[in-house]
Amino acid sequence: MKKAKFAVGYGSICGGCDVAFTDVGTKLADLAEIAEIVYWPAVVDGKIERLEEVSNIDVGVYFGAVRTDEHETVLRLLEEKSAILVAFGTCSCYGGIPGLGNVETSESLLATAYSNAPNTRAEGVPSLEEITIEELKMPKLRDYTSSPADLVEFDVFVPGCPPPVQSVIDLIDFVKDYRENGNVPDAFFLAKEGTVCEYCEREKPDKISIEKVMRVHESDLDEDECFLSQGVLCLGPVTRAGCGEEPRCTSKNMPCRGCFGPTPKIRDQGTKFLSSIASSIMLGKEKQISEEELMRLLTEGIIDPVGLFYRFALPVAIINRKHQEK
């Protein structure tokens, strides 16, 4: 049987999605048996001319967010040439960690990286425009990071930062099924429909009242009790499950960070969580504290609100879209 043509293209990434594939161990050999890797910069020749030349890709996979014009060029080429397009990793599904750069301008990001931060080569801040040095081109940095899912239509979504081993195994099995049966799916997630809380085995009270917001290192955590009832903010109530039979962070005594993104019923992950937390602060004691005291509880306990509420999905958040429309 002919092998399926398999291609992987990059946007703004950290490399964790590549590592996720190697984490499956010998299962990766199954992919080599059923697929011909025609483009994957970390594995074979990664020049974009190669992607432009290849045709009739069966499964195209995109890692990362879109921050430069070249990122979008790679994404569009995969969309044009692939029978099935896969958004792999939270950056590809929602914009991910690179999307937090949207709270700053491109100029300030470059100034921080190349001038303000300690470095050994003080050669000034590079231009925002495309830079050409002999045959090498540095693509233009865009004003904002975009979620690839806002630019093209994907057939399969594999959330997670990085996606868990089981999701990679499921994706490899999916490629195998497509090669044998030619099944092209409607858009679906390699994840569960419910929230992380529905799969978390910690004890949850009927009503949660948060009297003090604490960070993990400030609390002597009970490993059997809900994080929120202990005052530690956990995004389990607003995050899609699927990172393990038991959620991988909460099972290791760490709160959910929200990397699987919102559930299908939640429009905006950060806003929904903020609303939920606001209603739980001093529940039942609202009339006993002033607005100033309530504000003090929030500002002292939540050091980085954007990084907490929108760590993985700021580019698709309502506040981000409204900001870009101005």
Side-chain angles (χ1 to χ4, degrees), residues 106-168:
S106 298
E107 290 86 350
S108 66
L109 291 175
L110 288 177
T112 298
Y114 290 93
S115 178
N116 301 339
N119 64 82
T120 58
R121 298 183 65 183
E123 297 181 353
V125 180
S127 169
L128 285 173
E129 301 302 319
E130 180 178 279
I131 300 172
T132 301
I133 303 176
E134 297 180 351
E135 296 182 352
L136 299 178
K137 288 185 178 180
M138 182 71 74
K140 178 183 177 182
L141 194 64
R142 293 186 162 192
D143 291 338
Y144 298 103
T145 298
S146 299
S147 163
D150 273 349
L151 302 177
V152 301
E153 291 188 4
F154 287 98
D155 301 294
V156 183
F157 294 85
V158 189
C161 185
V165 167
Q166 188 57 52
S167 293
V168 182

Side-chain angles (χ1 to χ4, degrees), residues 285-301:
K285 300 179 182 178
E286 300 92 337
K287 295 181 180 179
Q288 300 174 23
I289 62 172
S290 63
E291 289 188 8
E292 289 77 13
E293 178 65 9
L294 180 60
M295 185 60 68
R296 187 188 64 78
L297 286 172
L298 290 172
T299 55
E300 289 185 356

Side-chain angles (χ1 to χ4, degrees), residues 16-28 88 158-173 190 242-245 248 260:
C17 288
D18 281 314
V19 175
F21 267 84
T22 64
D23 284 345
V24 302
T26 56
K27 182 71 177 178
L28 198 57
F88 188 88
V158 189
C161 185
V165 167
Q166 188 57 52
S167 293
V168 182
I169 292 174
D170 291 344
L171 179 61
I172 293 173
D173 289 340
L190 290 180
C243 54
E245 288 303 317
R248 57 183 174 182
F260 261 54

Side-chain angles (χ1 to χ4, degrees), residues 270-291:
T271 304
K272 180 65 177 178
F273 187 65
L274 181 58
S275 172
S276 173
I277 292 303
S279 63
S280 295
I281 297 291
M282 302 296 286
L283 182 63
K285 300 179 182 178
E286 300 92 337
K287 295 181 180 179
Q288 300 174 23
I289 62 172
S290 63
E291 289 188 8

Side-chain angles (χ1 to χ4, degrees), residues 36 38 40 42 61 68 74 97 137 147 169 173 176 180 202 204 226 228 263 265 267 270 282 290-292 300 317 320:
E36 175 192 0
V38 296
W40 189 346
V61 182
T68 70
V74 172
I97 293 285
K137 288 185 178 180
S147 163
I169 292 174
D173 289 340
K176 183 178 180 181
E180 295 174 352
R202 289 170 176 264
K204 308 174 187 64
C226 172
L228 288 172
T263 68
K265 296 180 180 179
R267 169 66 183 82
M282 302 296 286
S290 63
E291 289 188 8
E292 289 77 13
E300 289 185 356
N320 189 74

Side-chain angles (χ1 to χ4, degrees), residues 98-109:
L100 287 175
N102 287 3
V103 299
E104 297 285 350
T105 64
S106 298
E107 290 86 350
S108 66
L109 291 175

